[in-house]
Structure formats: C-alpha cells, structure tokens
Amino acid sequence: MGIHKLRKPEAVIFDMDGTLFETDKLLVPVHHRVFETLREEGLYEHETPPVERLLSCLGMLLEDIWRQVMPDSTEAARKRADVLLLQYEREGLERGEGDLYPFVEETLRELHSRGIKLFVASNGLEEYVKGVAEFKGIAPLFDGLYSAGEYETSTKVDLVARLLKDHNIQSAWMVGDRSSDVEAGKGNGLQTIGCAYATYGRASEIEGADVLINDFRELLPLLEQ
C-alpha cells in the first residue's frame, strides 16, 4: 500500500496488547492457571478452552472476551475469571513474564526525547495496563495510561475521545493491531498506524489504517517525512 504522508503529531497513542506488549508470553500460563482454579472451585466443569481463543479476543472488553472463550459458563464463573485473570497476570508480571516487542522501549524513549507526548489507550483493566507499564519500566515515558477498566468506556472511540479532551490534544497518531484501534483513530479524526507484526489480529483488521508497520522502529522515519 502507498504510504500516506503523515503530519507530525503532538502525541502518539498506543494500544497495549499486541502493539507494545507481546501478551501471549504472559497469557499462555495465566490462561491455564485461571481454568485450573475455576475447576477446583467448582465454577467450571469443562476442559480448558484453547488459549488461541483468548489470544484472538485481545482488544475486546473483558465481558465480551469470556463470552467468546467460555460461552457455556455462568455469570459467576465469568466474574471469578475476571478476578483470577488480573491476579495471575500481576503475579506473572512480578516474576518477569511477558515481553515488550523488539525495539519498543528504545523507540518510545526516542519519541519522548523529541518532545512527543505518549499515551496508552487499552480496553484492558486499569491494574493490568498500569502493571505492564510499571514492570516493564516504561511508565515514566507516558503522559497518561488510559484503560476501559478505569474510565468505564464501552468503546475505544470513547476512550480515545476522553484522552484527547483531558489533555487538549489537537493532533495525534493512533497505533494498534486491531480493528478497534483503527476505528478509535478514525472516529476521532486521527491518523492511524496498523502494527502488522502482531499475530493476534488478522491482517484484515488493520486494512483501513493509513500506514502499516512491520517493525516498531518504523515509527521514527514516519516522523521525518
């Protein structure tokens, strides 16, 4: 696809899972722990669903994720799964599980040093999103870490609108790997960058982005156009 000429932004807004954070390295063991505990507690009788089902739902709101991952579950099981997921994710992060994608930290530092404001906008839970940023050492680079969990937004369009308003941002890029990221950018009049290196979303999800990148470092030359 032809590269659109992007305007230099005041701010860059990133999705977290599949964009900054290679979530499957954390989530595969967590997924198994969650379902073992649900069975031990008598809340779920079936085999553990395939972890691919959970990974393919990244980017959705949590309540929608559990309906997809365990459609045959009770509301009690889904509520308990929310609690366990967060608990086991935090424990995994504390043990150093999960990685940022290659070149994320260096590129964020370079963007920050050029005076660009950096944000996260994620459909995840507040403690998870902030936990990843803290444990991976990138939290100080951001002007704000926005999550659906904290702001109780029902769409990412609304979450990004809130962020732009709170910080009086006039021009920004939205960077992510899911259709919800492209929609959040377009819905707020932002230029959108699709991350083609993540495997969770199908390639078709980011077709509508202005630019696709295959390596996180490609953000830097885009600034210099």
Side-chain angles (χ1 to χ4, degrees):
M1 61 183 293
I3 290 227
H4 289 54
K5 195 147 172 66
L6 297 181
R7 297 179 302 284
K8 188 171 178 184
E10 285 175 68
V12 183
I13 304 166
F14 297 94
D15 170 48
M16 177 65 87
D17 293 316
T19 300
L20 301 178
F21 188 58
E22 209 171 336
T23 315
D24 50 349
K25 293 191 176 164
L26 174 67
L27 223 45
V28 171
V30 164
H31 177 80
H32 289 287
R33 272 178 222 140
V34 166
F35 282 95
E36 275 166 25
T37 306
L38 289 176
R39 280 195 295 269
E40 280 165 16
E41 295 178 356
L43 287 166
Y44 192 75
E45 262 113 69
H46 312 278
E47 291 286 298
T48 298
V51 71
E52 290 71 29
R53 203 183 291 171
L54 178 60
L55 292 172
S56 73
C57 293
L58 287 175
M60 294 181 186
L61 296 166
L62 215 47
E63 59 194 83
D64 298 329
I65 289 179
W66 295 127
R67 288 205 180 90
Q68 298 265 357
V69 172
M70 45 174 180
D72 42 10
S73 61
T74 60
E75 191 180 347
R78 293 195 291 271
K79 283 207 160 21
R80 181 69 178 134
D82 281 351
V83 172
L84 292 172
L85 183 74
L86 186 60
Q87 180 189 330
Y88 294 155
E89 281 173 339
R90 286 287 297 198
E91 289 170 7
L93 286 168
E94 282 168 15
R95 283 197 295 267
E97 290 169 13
D99 289 315
L100 298 173
Y101 279 99
F103 313 114
V104 163
E105 185 176 352
E106 306 90 297
T107 305
L108 291 176
R109 288 190 187 285
E110 178 62 25
L111 291 169
H112 185 258
S113 75
R114 294 186 191 192
I116 292 170
K117 292 181 175 171
L118 306 178
F119 296 92
V120 165
S122 166
N123 272 337
L125 292 168
E126 177 183 5
E127 281 183 62
Y128 167 71
V129 173
K130 290 181 175 170
V132 171
E134 281 157 25
F135 283 111
K136 297 302 165 192
I138 54 173
L141 300 172
F142 290 97
D143 281 67
L145 299 166
Y146 278 64
S147 58
E150 180 172 4
Y151 290 95
E152 296 183 344
T153 44
S154 58
T155 70
K156 202 172 241 193
V157 177
D158 294 345
L159 185 66
V160 170
R162 171 76 187 259
L163 184 165
L164 294 168
K165 184 165 171 275
D166 286 353
H167 294 268
N168 193 22
I169 302 289
Q170 305 302 319
S171 69
W173 292 352
M174 179 73 214
V175 181
D177 69 310
R178 304 304 300 247
S179 55
S180 54
D181 300 313
V182 178
E183 285 157 19
K186 294 208 176 298
N188 286 290
L190 308 182
Q191 300 179 95
T192 55
I193 298 173
C195 299
Y197 51 79
T199 49
Y200 315 131
R202 294 170 297 286
S204 58
E205 291 215 19
I206 50 173
E207 270 172 1
D210 294 316
V211 176
L212 296 181
I213 59 171
N214 290 299
D215 178 315
F216 201 77
R217 289 171 292 186
E218 291 172 38
L219 288 171
L220 297 172
L222 288 174
L223 284 177
E224 286 146 18
Q225 289 179 6

